[in-house]
Each structure stands twice: as C-alpha cells, then as structure tokens.
Amino acid sequence: MPYVEIIIAVLGAFALAWLADLVTGRRGLFATSLVSAVAAAAGWFLAVRVFGASTMTEWTWVLWALAASTLALGAFFLFRSKR
C-alpha cells in the first residue's frame, strides 16, 4: 500500500486534535482539527521540501508532521483569546 504514510499522518493529526480537545474540555473539534491539519502540512513541507530531511517514501516526515501538529496545538491553546 503506497499511501500508508499519508493515512497514518492524517489519522495521527486528527487523533492529536481530538486528544487536545478532550483534555482541554472545550468542544471546538473543528478548530483544533484545522490547526492540527495545517500544522501537519507545514511539518511535512519543512521536512520534505525545505530541509530535505526526509522523502515521501520514508517515515521520518510523519514524525515531523506530528511534532509540528503538537507544537501548533500547544501554541493554539496558549495564545487563544479568552473572550
């Protein structure tokens, strides 16, 4: 199955968003999913296109994508407006 890395990255980003929403007690799954997905795409872009640390056939970019998603979700909840 040639696209298993992409499927794992998408499911991992959604799982991180779901866990972040669950832990914080807020019911904004769409917002956390959006932040997680955009950050995962940015992590992929950094790993594959900018730094050249990985290729699409390796698993390293999945770790970069999930790490970027985790950092972005942390920043999202840290700097989010409380109005």
Side-chain angles (χ1 to χ4, degrees):
M1 190 167 183
Y3 299 110
V4 71
E5 295 95 355
I6 298 171
I7 294 169
I8 295 295
V10 168
L11 291 177
F14 182 75
L16 285 172
W18 178 71
L19 284 174
D21 185 52
L22 189 67
V23 167
T24 58
R26 300 185 178 113
R27 297 293 177 224
L29 186 58
F30 177 75
T32 56
S33 296
L34 183 63
V35 168
S36 183
V38 169
W44 166 82
F45 185 77
L46 285 173
V48 175
R49 304 292 290 176
V50 174
F51 296 125
S54 179
T55 63
M56 286 295 290
T57 58
E58 299 173 359
W59 285 90
T60 322
W61 72 267
V62 176
L63 297 175
W64 278 69
L66 294 179
S69 178
T70 303
L71 288 172
L73 284 169
F76 175 68
F77 287 115
L78 185 64
F79 298 115
R80 187 175 168 189
S81 176
K82 304 284 187 200
R83 290 192 235 179

